[in-house]
Amino acid sequence: MYSSYPPGKTPKKSSIPGVSIRQLVDEIPEGCSTPDFKQKPVTLALPEGKNAIFRAVVCGEPRPEVHWQNTKGDLSNSSKYQISSAPDSKEHVLQINKLTGEDSDLYRCTAVNAFGEATCSVRLTVIEVGFRKNRKRQKEPQEDLRTELKDFRKMLKKRTPPPAPDKKMESAQVWQLLMTADRKDYEKICMQHGIVDFRGMLRKLQEMKKEQEDRMAQYVNAIDNLRHIRVTKEGVATFDLELDLKDLENKIYLYKDGEMIPYGFDNQTKHCLRRLGKRYHFLIQDLRPEDAGLYQVMVEDAVVFSTELEASTIPPRVVVPLAETRCEEQGDAVFECTLSNPCPNATWHFQHRTLRLGDRYEVSVSPDGLTHRLVVKGASCSDMGLYSLNAGLHASSAWLMVEGGKDKGPQTTDTEHRLQSRRETQEGRPDVCGQGQDATQSPRSRYKPGPGSSTKARGSMDHFSRGLVDTEVHQGEAAILSCTLTSDMGPGTWFKDGVKLTAHDGVIFEQDGLTHRLILTHAEGTQAGRYTFVAGRQHTEASLTVQDPPTIAPDVTETLREPLVFKAGKPVTLKIPFQSRLPVQAVWRKDGEEVVGSNRRDIQVALGDGYTRLCLPSVCRKDSGQYSVTLKSDGGCMQAEFTLHVIDLTHWRGDRNMPSSSFSDPFSFCSSPWVLRQASAPQGPLEVQDCRRAGVCLRWRPPRDDGGQAIQHYVVERRQAGRSTWLKVGEPPPESTSFTDASVEQGRKYAFRVRTVTSEGAGDALESEEVLVAPEDLPGPPSAPDILSASSQSITLTWAAPRGPGSAHILGYRVEKRKKGSNTWVAVNEQPVSERRYTVADLRQGCQHEFRVIAVAPSGPGEPGPPSDAVFARDPMRPPGPVRDLRVTDRTSNTSITLSWRRPDTQDNDEAHGFIVELCGSHSLQWSPCHVGTVPGTTFTAKGLRPQEGYLVRVTAVNDGGHGPATSLDSLVHAAPATVCPKFLMGYSTKDSLMVRVGDSIRVPVSFEATPMPEVTWLKDGLPLPKRSVTTVKDGLTQLLIPAASLSDRGRYTVMLRHPQGKEAVYSFSIRVAACPQAPGSIYLRENVPGTVTVQWEPSPDEAQGIPLHYTVLMRSSSHGSWHEVADRVHTNHFTFLGVLPGHEYHFRVLAKNELGASKPSDTSQPWCIPRQRERFTVKTPIYREPNLSQKPRFLVGLRTHLLPQGCECRMTCAVQGSPRPQVTWFRNDQSLDRNPALYSTDVLSVCSLVIPSVSLKDSGEYKAVARNPLGQAVSTATLIVTEYNS
């Protein structure tokens, strides 16, 4: 950005992004350092009138001096710029007072000491509001600026908000769009989305930008060059940005209107991303109206860019295409096409030529601008052809067929076609632009299938045994189109794209019986198209595709077969000429990877007219490799390959030469001697694999550059971890790229490296990471030992062999013992035993011991196995006797039973240590224990039983001597509780009567208890329930459900519980169903007693049905506008209201009520009023004197002097006051401007303005505004100075 670094002085890296450090000396003494920034200033965007403060914290020894400047120079104006720093602080502050639009600039902070300098830049953006952002402010007095700001505040108050847009975007999306939009687009976005508080928007936007920058700082170092969405002429929407990511593994997401959308990395997907270094280029292909919206780019969870694709920028698409049209001769043909968006530039074409509108053609567009219509009036055979509507990127075409009778149409003979062509020639077609006489003199006739004919490629199979088929050939090959008729229908006629073919078109017609052929001996690209064969009124058609790929001259291909050799450091340009009649795309690849987008940014690829070029500005040995260029077009593709060698030479050593013919022209070397350099390192990665006993296996790939000499051998070296010495371990031959080092030690770490050796010596090394050589696998743990026998002298153990790696070669086993409760294991045998059985002797009698076994292999002892159960070293005990008095003590649950028993009798110390409880189902023959281990007590509850199923039960006593005899119950035991008689469970919420509104649902739950489940029956008035009533029964709860209550559901309901043993329980309740009462009838008012009014009404119809109800009377008078209650619970149909006042109007309202609510009101038709007679009185009005508000004119705000360049708009404004309202007249140099057409004046609420749209030198002079009314006049003058452009 600024001055370049001196030779040999490379820039230092700073820990703060965006800071550049330059070292000014070769060596820096100890204890000193170059300047650096600990905290750099941050970018600011502030509204005008505020103060901007930049803070920077610098460090360095000795203490650096800090300078501030912008692109316009130094900051010497002390009243505008204040630079300060504390004596003992490293913080330096730049304050810019009272910002204006001219303060927007790039500010640079430089810290300098004797050893170097550090520089960083920061941008200040001043947001201008209103009319200030549309022009440059001139330097003017501060008082005028303050006055203008006050006037602008008044204008803001008077400004009316814009109308709300038809389609509103989400509020969060609008703010995201504003944060990445240009400042010049703020007002447009605010007006579009209805934001009228511009100042408030700027404040909130500044806060949101600060939050977004903090969030982005987690993932992004910098973001630059934001380019919003634009639509190309090919109909592709693109937007891009530059991102400097902190971690390249961070994921990038694309969102549209808040929803994430997937994207690809090629042109095969609708949304795709192309990445070139830090440049991210997004494309949206195949645009449709639904693609319009807000697009956001997110790095992980931080939004970095937002842009909007407007619907108006999307090219219109064809929604309803043109349809084939048929009409009689001299009739009218109508074509209609509907587009997705309005397209005022859509044009109509006939036979691919623009249609010139006239009397015969009528073009119209629907009011919404979407449907385009073309009417061909008085159609004739010459109008038959292809019509199309071109909407820019998309178009729609259809045929017009004119039916002229039996002797006119596609079935005519060749003679008739010639006559028709001559008639067309005589008539001409002046309606088609660019056609004229040349177009009408063609001897060809045009064809489109007639009524009833097929448009498919195979034709009408009723008259063709074999129709035409789509054919694809290469350019220059022969093409044959053939079809076979079912009967002879004449010679037939061939058409191409609707144009009749003749022998002059380079085609051959053949007929073999009913088979017709069209032969093209050498197909060319211009002969591709749609071919139609017509016989009589039948036809068949098919497409012919000619593959025409790009071609490369044979001599160029022959040249590329030989390797191309170039000198390192020289520029290389490869130009491949080709021929193609179609547009071509060229893709260059090196070693299978595309050249564009690779790590080298200086590679240039160009595609011109008939050639493609690859330019390498300065080649090096890494550029050697296999190159290819692929030429692709719609006609096919072509690929050329070649090999590029780059030779890096040094000075001659006098031992070998190389002829200059080995290098490709024009980059040939001179005939001076040369010497080849050493080979490069082998290609990695260097694979290191531990092969166990065989050693360590290494694998690599040959070097990319052998330095121009044959490889003699490789050198493999090894280094042990923690040491610096490399040991040579082998020299593999050149054809081998693998090596096995068998001299490594297990359990140690090693690093390996490989070098390539040529006649020039050993090249660079390919080194691996440190690798641990794992030792051999140890055997696994054996199983826990089992006790075969135990006595006071010895205990015999047995165990199972271990499994897994290392257990194949077992030398023996080692047995260990310990006392129960101890943590110390003691070896029993000194030498491993080969058998899996061992007798342990020398045990302490009466003590409990545990045992474990360790397997021993050649690689060493393995892990110990689990310990055995604790066993006493004593003589065997007698098993206990049978338990006594086994019985069932509890059966209250469906899934469990409780047992109890007494201990067996004890003889010769055979006391039982525990008990085992077993069950056997009635349908099973196998006993299974009910617990794990033994039961210490004499009671046990067996759980998890199946209800109502019978079980056999037995209990066995056990001790160290074994199991005693089992004791069983004599009969099956069923898990079933005791019988419970049915009983209803009534609570406080239970009611004997229930009132329900008509139409409401009825849900009545009834709880009960009974064991087993009883039979539940519901009755209504002693009869079964109707079908519309639903009942349920589950887990002690039965429920009545009526979805919608009606009057027929009233009655007495009964629920009955019947036990299997015959016992019953009954519960009854009543349900009353009613509706809100109907409104009373008409209301009559009469005065029976003076000062009162009697209200009488016709009763509600529900009263005749015996439904209990009452009435409520409401009254509203002219003095009290709201209704209020005057009587309630009136059981008659009349009410007398007292206290009627003369002159007041009274309105009455009556409602019928019952328990469910009130009816609709009945109101009086006429109010009740007693007239009041008043005496006449006279009112004397006071006489007031009108104030005199007349005032002669005076200027509240006068004119001011203007200095403007030519071409700018000048607006002179003043404010005048006076009564009556004064008339303002404008003068220039004392000449009236009333009739001057070059300018105009306005007068809005006594604010008068004179506007000159474009000032010139002749507009300079003294301007005067004269305000007059009957009381006098006032004058305000100002001077306009117009300068030239070079001033």
Side-chain angles (χ1 to χ4, degrees):
M1 180 180 295
Y2 301 101
S3 60
S4 60
Y5 297 102
K9 304 297 187 298
T10 58
K12 295 185 64 178
K13 184 72 173 179
S14 174
S15 60
I16 304 298
V19 176
S20 60
I21 303 176
R22 184 173 61 170
Q23 183 175 327
L24 302 179
V25 297
D26 294 332
E27 295 183 0
I28 300 177
E30 185 177 357
C32 300
S33 63
T34 59
D36 195 1
F37 283 83
K38 289 187 176 180
Q39 176 183 338
K40 58 175 287 190
V42 296
T43 299
L44 297 178
L46 300 173
E48 57 182 355
K50 297 290 185 179
N51 295 340
I53 299 178
F54 294 109
R55 303 180 187 273
V57 179
V58 299
C59 62
E61 187 63 34
R63 182 174 180 178
E65 297 181 0
V66 177
H67 305 282
W68 296 85
Q69 66 182 57
N70 58 8
T71 57
K72 301 175 184 178
D74 59 351
L75 311 176
S76 58
N77 187 355
S78 59
S79 63
K80 181 70 175 179
Y81 307 100
Q82 297 180 2
I83 301 175
S84 61
S85 63
D88 299 331
S89 175
K90 298 180 180 180
E91 184 180 56
H92 298 262
V93 179
L94 168 63
Q95 179 172 336
I96 307 174
N97 299 322
K98 298 183 180 179
L99 295 176
T100 64
E102 298 177 352
D103 295 326
S104 295
D105 204 347
L106 189 68
Y107 291 81
R108 181 172 64 175
C109 180
T110 305
V112 184
N113 66 5
F115 303 106
E117 68 176 13
T119 305
C120 68
S121 299
V122 63
R123 178 168 293 279
L124 170 62
T125 303
V126 179
I127 303 173
E128 300 176 323
V129 296
F131 59 87
R132 292 180 180 269
K133 64 181 180 180
N134 295 327
R135 63 179 178 90
K136 294 284 188 179
R137 282 195 55 85
Q138 303 294 331
K139 294 184 178 179
E140 54 192 7
Q142 189 68 22
E143 188 63 31
D144 292 344
L145 176 62
R146 188 177 295 108
T147 304
E148 187 173 344
L149 285 175
K150 292 181 179 178
D151 296 340
F152 181 63
R153 293 191 187 99
K154 295 179 181 179
M155 293 176 62
L156 285 177
K157 293 179 180 179
K158 295 178 181 179
R159 187 175 65 180
T160 57
D166 295 336
K167 180 181 179 181
K168 288 189 177 181
M169 191 183 298
E170 294 293 335
S171 176
Q173 298 178 357
V174 175
W175 288 108
Q176 289 293 340
L177 183 62
L178 282 169
M179 279 194 289
T180 54
D182 295 335
R183 288 189 299 117
K184 61 183 179 62
D185 296 330
Y186 283 175
E187 187 172 3
K188 172 186 172 183
I189 297 174
C190 291
M191 296 289 287
Q192 182 179 357
H193 298 285
I195 300 177
V196 296
D197 186 5
F198 198 74
R199 296 180 184 272
M201 180 275 294
L202 294 176
R203 288 194 298 269
K204 182 176 180 181
L205 189 61
Q206 183 178 359
E207 298 174 358
M208 295 182 66
K209 281 187 175 181
K210 178 62 177 175
E211 296 177 0
Q212 186 180 18
E213 288 177 358
D214 296 340
R215 193 180 303 110
M216 289 169 51
Q218 304 177 14
Y219 312 106
V220 180
N221 290 325
I223 176 172
D224 298 306
N225 298 332
L226 304 177
R227 297 179 63 182
H228 290 267
I229 282 185
R230 60 193 182 281
V231 180
T232 64
K233 62 181 180 179
E234 292 81 10
V236 179
T238 65
F239 61 94
D240 46 44
L241 67 159
E242 288 186 6
L243 275 179
D244 184 8
L245 298 177
K246 291 185 176 180
D247 186 0
L248 296 179
E249 299 297 329
N250 287 337
K251 296 183 179 180
I252 297 179
Y253 302 98
L254 180 63
Y255 282 77
K256 175 184 177 293
D257 295 333
E259 296 182 2
M260 188 174 68
I261 54 179
Y263 61 85
F265 298 92
D266 51 19
N267 292 335
Q268 305 300 323
T269 57
K270 181 177 180 64
H271 303 84
C272 59
L273 167 64
R274 295 177 182 174
R275 179 180 176 185
L276 299 176
K278 297 180 181 179
R279 194 75 182 172
Y280 293 83
H281 190 77
F282 289 89
L283 292 90
I284 308 173
Q285 306 184 101
D286 190 24
L287 287 179
R288 298 181 180 274
E290 56 268 20
D291 293 328
L294 180 69
Y295 289 83
Q296 294 176 307
V297 180
M298 296 185 64
V299 178
E300 296 296 341
D301 58 347
V303 179
V304 298
F305 183 45
S306 300
T307 182
E308 184 180 10
L309 175 58
E310 298 181 356
S312 59
T313 61
I314 298 177
R317 302 178 63 92
V318 177
V319 178
V320 180
L322 295 176
E324 178 184 305
T325 303
R326 301 180 179 88
C327 70
E328 298 290 340
E329 195 169 4
Q330 300 303 322
D332 292 344
V334 180
F335 291 93
E336 283 190 355
C337 179
T338 303
L339 305 179
S340 60
N341 301 336
C343 182
N345 299 325
T347 57
W348 288 92
H349 295 76
F350 174 67
Q351 296 297 108
H352 307 290
R353 299 178 185 270
T354 304
L355 193 65
R356 179 180 298 167
L357 303 181
D359 296 337
R360 300 189 57 202
Y361 300 100
E362 179 182 334
V363 175
S364 61
V365 183
S366 62
D368 57 3
L370 301 181
T371 302
H372 294 253
R373 184 177 185 185
L374 170 65
V375 180
V376 182
K377 299 181 179 179
S380 61
C381 293
S382 61
D383 294 318
M384 186 167 61
L386 185 68
Y387 289 80
S388 60
L389 176 67
N390 188 355
L393 189 63
H394 301 278
S396 177
S397 303
W399 279 83
L400 169 62
M401 289 191 314
V402 179
E403 302 173 358
K406 297 181 179 179
D407 55 345
K408 299 179 183 179
Q411 72 276 18
T412 57
T413 62
D414 291 347
T415 303
E416 292 171 332
H417 279 294
R418 294 192 197 100
L419 294 175
Q420 180 67 18
S421 292
R422 291 178 186 153
R423 284 195 294 269
E424 292 177 1
T425 303
Q426 295 171 0
E427 293 175 1
R429 289 301 308 274
D431 300 323
V432 180
C433 296
Q435 201 165 353
Q437 293 294 329
D438 295 337
T440 60
Q441 289 175 358
S442 174
R444 303 183 180 184
S445 61
R446 301 185 178 272
Y447 164 75
K448 187 65 182 170
S453 61
S454 172
T455 61
K456 297 182 180 179
R458 62 183 180 85
S460 175
M461 299 311 295
D462 295 338
H463 300 83
F464 289 90
S465 60
R466 182 170 62 86
L468 297 179
V469 295
D470 293 340
T471 305
E472 182 176 328
V473 296
H474 291 278
Q475 186 172 5
E477 297 180 353
I480 301 176
L481 298 174
S482 174
C483 63
T484 304
L485 295 166
T486 57
S487 61
D488 189 5
M489 303 179 67
T493 307
W494 289 88
F495 294 84
K496 175 184 177 293
D497 295 331
V499 179
K500 180 182 176 183
L501 296 176
T502 64
H504 300 288
D505 295 321
V507 296
I508 301 174
F509 303 102
E510 286 187 0
Q511 181 176 359
D512 184 9
L514 299 178
T515 301
H516 297 259
R517 298 185 184 90
L518 176 66
I519 303 174
L520 292 79
T521 55
H522 297 282
E524 298 180 357
T526 57
Q527 294 177 319
R530 195 73 174 172
Y531 286 82
T532 306
F533 176 76
V534 179
R537 297 183 62 85
Q538 306 302 323
H539 80 283
T540 178
E541 58 183 14
S543 296
L544 174 63
T545 304
V546 179
Q547 294 287 348
D548 184 12
T551 58
I552 301 176
D555 57 339
V556 178
T557 306
E558 187 67 24
T559 303
L560 295 178
R561 291 182 180 177
E562 296 295 331
L564 306 180
V565 184
F566 296 94
K567 184 196 297 183
K570 296 292 184 178
V572 175
T573 301
L574 299 171
K575 183 177 180 181
I576 306 296
F578 61 86
Q579 294 180 352
S580 177
R581 67 179 185 87
L582 299 173
V584 175
Q585 293 180 351
V587 179
W588 289 82
R589 291 183 173 85
K590 176 181 179 292
D591 297 331
E593 296 182 0
E594 190 171 349
V595 172
V596 178
S598 62
N599 294 330
R600 287 196 57 179
R601 297 188 178 182
D602 53 354
I603 297 179
Q604 299 177 5
V605 175
L607 179 63
D609 187 9
Y611 71 91
T612 178
R613 183 173 60 225
L614 173 67
C615 180
L616 305 173
S618 178
V619 295
C620 58
R621 289 195 299 170
K622 293 183 178 180
D623 293 325
S624 300
Q626 189 73 22
Y627 286 79
S628 66
V629 57
T630 302
L631 304 175
K632 184 183 299 183
S633 69
D634 293 340
C637 63
M638 174 68 180
Q639 183 173 347
E641 299 181 351
F642 60 91
T643 303
L644 178 65
H645 288 316
V646 180
I647 304 299
D648 191 1
L649 303 179
T650 62
H651 294 293
W652 178 60
R653 292 193 313 199
D655 53 352
R656 51 179 71 85
N657 292 327
M658 182 176 182
S660 60
S661 59
S662 299
F663 302 96
S664 299
D665 292 334
F667 308 104
S668 300
F669 294 119
C670 61
S671 58
S672 61
W674 53 274
V675 176
L676 297 175
R677 296 186 60 181
Q678 296 173 345
S680 61
Q683 298 185 68
L686 179 57
E687 299 180 4
V688 182
Q689 183 179 3
D690 187 1
C691 299
R692 300 296 179 181
R693 296 184 179 182
V696 176
C697 300
L698 307 178
R699 291 184 180 84
W700 63 91
R701 291 188 298 166
R704 188 183 299 274
D705 180 16
D706 56 8
Q709 289 292 320
I711 300 176
Q712 296 180 353
H713 58 82
Y714 297 97
V715 174
V716 182
E717 296 176 302
R718 181 186 69 204
R719 177 179 59 83
Q720 186 174 337
R723 299 182 181 180
S724 59
T725 304
W726 288 91
L727 178 64
K728 181 179 177 180
V729 295
E731 294 184 353
E735 63 274 4
S736 176
T737 57
S738 62
F739 179 77
T740 301
D741 184 7
S743 59
V744 295
E745 298 182 10
Q746 297 180 357
R748 296 185 180 274
K749 285 186 176 182
Y750 296 94
F752 297 86
R753 69 182 184 185
V754 181
R755 297 178 183 267
T756 305
V757 180
T758 63
S759 59
E760 299 300 321
D764 297 333
L766 173 64
E767 189 173 343
S768 72
E769 301 289 340
E770 291 186 354
V771 178
L772 173 65
V773 181
E776 292 187 9
D777 293 329
L778 297 175
S783 65
D786 294 330
I787 310 299
L788 290 183
S789 62
S791 66
S792 60
Q793 302 298 327
S794 64
I795 297 176
T796 302
L797 311 174
T798 183
W799 60 86
R803 297 181 180 181
S807 302
H809 305 281
I810 302 297
L811 299 180
Y813 300 92
R814 190 170 63 195
V815 181
E816 295 180 344
K817 68 176 180 179
R818 73 175 178 184
K819 294 182 181 179
K820 184 177 181 180
S822 174
N823 294 327
T824 304
W825 291 91
V826 180
V828 175
N829 53 333
E830 297 181 358
Q831 298 296 329
V833 295
S834 57
E835 297 182 359
R836 294 192 298 274
R837 179 187 179 118
Y838 188 77
T839 300
V840 183
D842 193 14
L843 298 174
R844 185 176 180 179
Q845 186 174 1
C847 290
Q848 277 186 307
H849 295 81
E850 295 177 345
F851 303 91
R852 71 179 184 183
V853 181
I854 300 174
V856 181
S859 58
E863 296 182 2
S868 66
D869 295 334
V871 58
F872 283 97
R874 61 186 179 186
D875 294 330
M877 296 177 58
R878 290 180 53 188
V883 299
R884 298 177 296 167
D885 196 13
L886 176 63
R887 66 181 184 276
V888 178
T889 58
D890 188 6
R891 269 189 303 191
T892 58
S893 174
N894 290 335
T895 58
S896 64
I897 57 174
T898 300
L899 306 174
S900 67
W901 60 88
R902 294 170 57 193
R903 291 180 174 273
D905 295 334
T906 302
Q907 297 179 0
D908 298 333
N909 200 20
D910 59 352
E911 183 179 357
H913 295 169
F915 304 92
I916 298 175
V917 181
E918 297 174 290
L919 296 178
C920 177
S922 58
H923 303 289
S924 176
L925 300 177
Q926 184 177 1
W927 292 88
S928 57
C930 303
H931 50 82
V932 178
T934 59
V935 177
T938 58
T939 60
F940 179 77
T941 300
K943 300 180 181 179
L945 307 182
R946 289 184 291 272
Q948 302 298 328
E949 184 172 343
Y951 293 91
L952 295 174
V953 182
R954 72 180 184 183
V955 179
T956 304
V958 296
N959 61 11
D960 293 338
H963 294 62
T967 301
S968 304
L969 293 176
D970 298 335
S971 61
L972 291 174
V973 178
H974 293 81
T979 301
V980 177
C981 296
K983 180 178 64 174
F984 289 100
L985 303 178
M986 301 301 176
Y988 294 104
S989 60
T990 305
K991 298 180 180 179
D992 293 337
S993 179
L994 183 64
M995 173 66 75
V996 183
R997 189 192 306 270
V998 173
D1000 292 351
S1001 61
I1002 301 176
R1003 187 186 302 271
V1004 182
V1006 179
S1007 301
F1008 65 90
E1009 64 175 2
T1011 303
M1013 179 65 70
E1015 179 184 357
V1016 180
T1017 304
W1018 284 85
L1019 302 174
K1020 177 180 178 293
D1021 298 330
L1023 300 175
L1025 294 179
K1027 294 182 178 180
R1028 58 191 304 271
S1029 301
V1030 180
T1031 60
T1032 59
V1033 179
K1034 183 180 179 181
D1035 297 336
L1037 178 68
T1038 179
Q1039 188 170 236
L1040 171 66
L1041 176 62
I1042 300 176
S1046 62
L1047 296 177
S1048 60
D1049 294 323
R1050 294 180 297 183
R1052 188 74 174 175
Y1053 287 81
T1054 302
V1055 56
M1056 181 182 299
L1057 305 178
R1058 181 176 289 105
H1059 196 269
Q1061 298 180 358
K1063 298 181 180 179
E1064 294 183 355
V1066 178
Y1067 168 66
S1068 299
F1069 59 92
S1070 298
I1071 294 180
R1072 293 184 296 165
V1073 180
C1076 292
Q1078 301 182 43
S1082 302
I1083 301 177
Y1084 307 98
L1085 303 177
R1086 59 173 56 92
E1087 184 181 18
N1088 296 329
V1089 177
T1092 65
V1093 59
T1094 300
V1095 184
Q1096 188 172 358
W1097 59 89
E1098 295 181 359
S1100 171
D1102 294 339
E1103 190 174 344
Q1105 301 178 7
I1107 299 177
L1109 52 83
H1110 58 274
Y1111 299 95
T1112 299
V1113 182
L1114 305 177
M1115 186 271 291
R1116 176 174 62 87
S1117 65
S1118 56
S1119 60
H1120 298 83
S1122 60
W1123 293 95
H1124 62 278
E1125 184 179 290
V1126 295
D1128 191 18
R1129 293 196 171 274
V1130 178
H1131 293 276
T1132 62
N1133 60 343
H1134 57 85
F1135 168 73
T1136 300
F1137 177 70
L1138 308 177
V1140 177
L1141 300 177
H1144 289 249
E1145 293 184 352
Y1146 295 89
H1147 300 262
F1148 293 92
R1149 171 178 291 179
V1150 181
L1151 293 84
K1153 293 185 178 180
N1154 61 9
E1155 295 180 359
L1156 296 179
S1159 67
K1160 295 182 179 180
S1162 294
D1163 295 345
T1164 55
S1165 58
Q1166 295 293 332
W1168 178 264
C1169 180
I1170 299 176
R1172 180 175 60 184
Q1173 296 181 357
R1174 298 181 179 179
E1175 297 181 358
R1176 299 183 62 183
F1177 61 94
T1178 303
V1179 178
K1180 295 183 180 180
T1181 58
I1183 300 175
Y1184 297 98
R1185 184 176 181 180
E1186 292 285 343
N1188 186 9
L1189 301 178
S1190 299
Q1191 182 184 9
K1192 67 178 182 178
R1194 70 184 185 96
F1195 282 92
L1196 301 177
V1197 178
L1199 299 178
R1200 63 185 180 88
T1201 301
H1202 288 71
L1203 177 62
L1204 297 173
Q1206 295 186 52
C1208 290
E1209 181 188 66
C1210 177
R1211 182 184 296 270
M1212 297 184 178
T1213 305
C1214 61
V1216 65
Q1217 183 181 28
S1219 181
R1221 183 175 179 178
Q1223 181 71 27
V1224 178
T1225 306
W1226 293 89
F1227 296 87
R1228 180 180 63 199
N1229 297 331
D1230 296 330
Q1231 293 183 1
S1232 176
L1233 300 176
D1234 287 345
R1235 299 186 178 181
N1236 192 335
L1239 46 84
Y1240 63 92
S1241 62
T1242 62
D1243 185 355
V1244 180
L1245 299 177
S1246 297
V1247 177
C1248 304
S1249 299
L1250 176 65
V1251 181
I1252 306 176
S1254 178
V1255 299
S1256 60
L1257 294 176
K1258 65 179 182 179
D1259 293 324
S1260 299
E1262 184 180 29
Y1263 286 78
K1264 182 190 302 182
V1266 179
R1268 295 188 180 92
N1269 70 358
L1271 300 180
Q1273 68 176 20
V1275 180
S1276 177
T1277 61
T1279 302
L1280 171 61
I1281 302 174
V1282 181
T1283 62
E1284 296 183 359
Y1285 291 107
N1286 54 9
S1287 299

